[in-house]
């Protein structure tokens, strides 16, 4: 068995939104697939109306297959401080042509303002490891964990694009989706993430610098967050770049295009093109741009978010416990 679903970027590629169906008859919601977390939670009819601004909500009472998971609750806080919480139903969930009949669907009762303020996002679908699912008293399997035994291969791939629709595929590697070879690197899932260590980096056409960077492949984080020393080495090469504490990160003149950023994956490399490093203009006046590469200060590890992932075809291989990165 295998499947595929399209995923679309919001403005500035801030997040990627993917359609799913829940319940009987199917309720269609659009959610953020997140390899950096492991809860499938959605806006629901159990929320206060004031917390809902345009989102589509899951109504378990309108699904003949929903069953409340008695006594279970969940509560999650993300790296950016956003949060949500609620209770749990078991219901059928379909992604593309793949269906899990008894998927734990975490219905929100409360969400923080970051979620209320995004009318296009109806929830999150965690693709991290089940060990960090927040349901109490019994953690619940992710969609991928529930379906992976029935897939032809226990893996999924992320093909995120800059300003264009991409796809998540389950159970197969599409040879037409990438070029060259896939660079494989072992995954450390001890913290519940798709963790790996990059051996180093290069700035533009400069020499490769050996510098271990341990982090996670996280489709739910927008930027590429790296060690302070690596980030300052990169921005040192951009005329007029500076750390702007008001903006909360490095800002630089939007033109000329900044240098590429290259990071290692095992004995291969991934190139973030300079024109993907300019994340977004900070103001129309003097055309300064907020950088897509920023410090990982305070997190405890680096985060290879969408700025890194959208340059590549990435294989999240649970069977082999490895990550594969390829150019496209
Ligand atoms: C507010 N929103 C939509 C978020 C979505 C995902 C995340 C995250 O850290 N994922 N790994 C944070 C925030």
């Amino acid at each position: 068995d295998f499947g595929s679903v399209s995923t679309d970027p919001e403005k500035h590629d801030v997040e990627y939104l993917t359609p799913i169906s829940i319940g009987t008859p199917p309720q269609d919601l659009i959610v953020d697939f997140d390899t950096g977390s492991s809860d499938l939670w959605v806006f629901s009819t159990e929320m206060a109306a004031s917390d809902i601004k345009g989102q589509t909500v899951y109504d378990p009472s309108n699904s003949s297959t929903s069953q409340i998971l008695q006594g279970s609750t969940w509560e999650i806080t993300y790296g950016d401080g956003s949060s949500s919480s609620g209770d749990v139903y078991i219901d059928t969930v379909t992604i593309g042509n793949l269906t899990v009949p008894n998927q734990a669907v975490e219905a929100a009762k409360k969400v923080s303002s970051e979620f209320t303020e995004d009318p296009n996002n109806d929830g999150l679908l965690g693709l991290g490891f089940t060990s960090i699912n927040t349901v109490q008293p019994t953690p619940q399997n992710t969609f991928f964990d529930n379906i992976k035994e029935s897939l032809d291969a226990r893996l999924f791939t992320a093909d995120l694009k800059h300003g264009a629709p991409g796809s998540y595929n389950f159970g197969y590697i599409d040879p037409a989706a990438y070029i060259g070879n896939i660079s494989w690197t072992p995954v450390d899932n001890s913290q519940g993430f798709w963790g790996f260590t990059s051996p180093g980096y290069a700035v533009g056409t400069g020499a490769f610098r050996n510098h271990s960077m341990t982090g996670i492949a996280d489709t739910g984080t927008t930027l590429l967050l790296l060690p302070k020393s690596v980030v300052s080495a990169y921005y040192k090469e951009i005329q007029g770049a500076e750390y702007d504490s008001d903006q909360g990160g490095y800002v630089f003149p939007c033109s000329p295009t900044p240098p590429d950023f290259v990071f290692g994956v095992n004995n291969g490399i991934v190139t973030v093109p300079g024109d993907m490093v300019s994340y977004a203009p900070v103001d129309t006046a003097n055309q300064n741009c907020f950088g897509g590469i920023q410090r990982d200060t305070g997190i405890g590890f680096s985060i290879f978010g969408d700025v890194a992932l959208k340059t590549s075809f990435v294989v999240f291989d649970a069977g082999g416990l490895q990550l594969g990165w390829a150019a496209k």
Side-chain angles (χ1 to χ4, degrees):
D1 205 1
F2 60 89
S4 180
V5 66
S6 176
T7 188
D8 297 339
E10 282 197 322
K11 194 165 184 303
H12 301 309
D13 303 343
V14 69
E15 64 184 27
Y16 289 77
L17 296 173
T18 309
I20 67 170
S21 294
I22 309 174
T24 312
Q27 299 179 33
D28 299 331
L29 280 72
I30 298 177
V31 299
D32 181 359
F33 279 24
D34 181 10
T35 58
S37 68
S38 303
D39 285 50
L40 196 185
W41 73 263
V42 287
F43 276 65
S44 83
T45 45
E46 299 179 347
M47 290 168 59
S50 56
D51 276 358
I52 303 168
K53 287 187 185 168
Q55 294 83 1
T56 300
V57 302
Y58 168 55
D59 180 355
S61 68
N62 249 349
S63 169
S64 61
T65 42
S66 73
Q67 269 191 304
I68 188 141
L69 191 61
Q70 208 62 32
S72 290
T73 58
W74 61 278
E75 177 172 15
I76 193 163
T77 301
Y78 297 99
D80 68 345
S82 60
S83 63
S84 51
S85 62
D87 54 14
V88 187
Y89 292 82
I90 303 295
D91 208 342
T92 178
V93 172
T94 295
I95 297 178
N97 58 317
L98 297 171
T99 294
V100 169
N102 55 346
Q103 174 64 45
V105 178
E106 301 171 33
K109 298 172 98 165
K110 289 183 184 169
V111 303
S112 63
S113 58
E114 295 86 351
F115 292 104
T116 296
E117 297 313 317
D118 181 355
N120 306 307
N121 185 16
D122 304 328
L124 262 70
L125 187 134
L127 290 169
F129 292 85
T130 293
S131 58
I132 55 172
N133 175 266
T134 76
V135 174
Q136 288 299 330
T138 312
Q140 299 295 303
N141 283 347
T142 64
F143 177 89
F144 177 63
D145 258 359
N146 281 328
I147 198 135
K148 74 175 187 240
E149 310 305 327
S150 67
L151 295 174
D152 298 335
R154 289 184 192 145
L155 60 83
F156 63 90
T157 65
D159 183 6
L160 307 182
K161 299 190 184 199
H162 171 53
S167 48
Y168 283 95
N169 295 342
F170 293 87
Y172 71 108
I173 292 173
D174 177 1
Y178 66 93
I179 56 175
N181 297 321
I182 299 176
S183 297
W184 296 99
T185 191
V187 161
D188 164 14
N189 66 352
S190 60
Q191 306 305 308
F193 300 119
W194 292 90
F196 70 103
T197 297
S198 166
Y201 70 98
V203 179
T205 55
F208 190 83
R209 308 175 205 191
N210 293 319
H211 187 123
S212 270
M213 300 182 285
T214 296
I216 68 171
D218 183 1
T219 57
T221 289
T222 309
L223 304 183
L224 171 52
L225 307 177
L226 295 173
K228 184 176 175 183
S229 58
V230 173
V231 175
S232 59
Y234 173 72
Y235 286 112
K236 199 157 70 74
E237 306 299 321
I238 302 178
Q239 200 76 20
E242 59 168 10
Y243 186 85
D244 179 339
S245 44
D246 298 345
Q247 297 289 340
Y250 279 89
V251 171
F252 53 89
C254 296
S255 62
T257 301
D260 295 351
F261 179 80
V262 173
F263 63 92
V265 173
N266 212 338
N267 41 27
I269 59 165
V270 173
T271 300
V272 180
D275 60 11
M276 286 204 199
V277 173
S278 313
Y279 174 63
V282 292
D283 52 43
T284 48
N286 55 3
Q287 285 301 310
N288 268 335
C289 273
F290 190 77
I293 299 174
Q294 297 292 348
R295 297 170 180 171
D296 64 12
T297 311
I299 301 173
F301 45 84
S302 295
I303 301 190
F304 295 81
D306 299 332
V307 162
L309 296 163
K310 65 186 166 185
T311 66
S312 303
F313 174 80
V314 186
V315 185
F316 292 76
D317 179 1
L321 209 46
Q322 57 180 0
L323 273 172
W325 297 71
K328 57 190 181 192

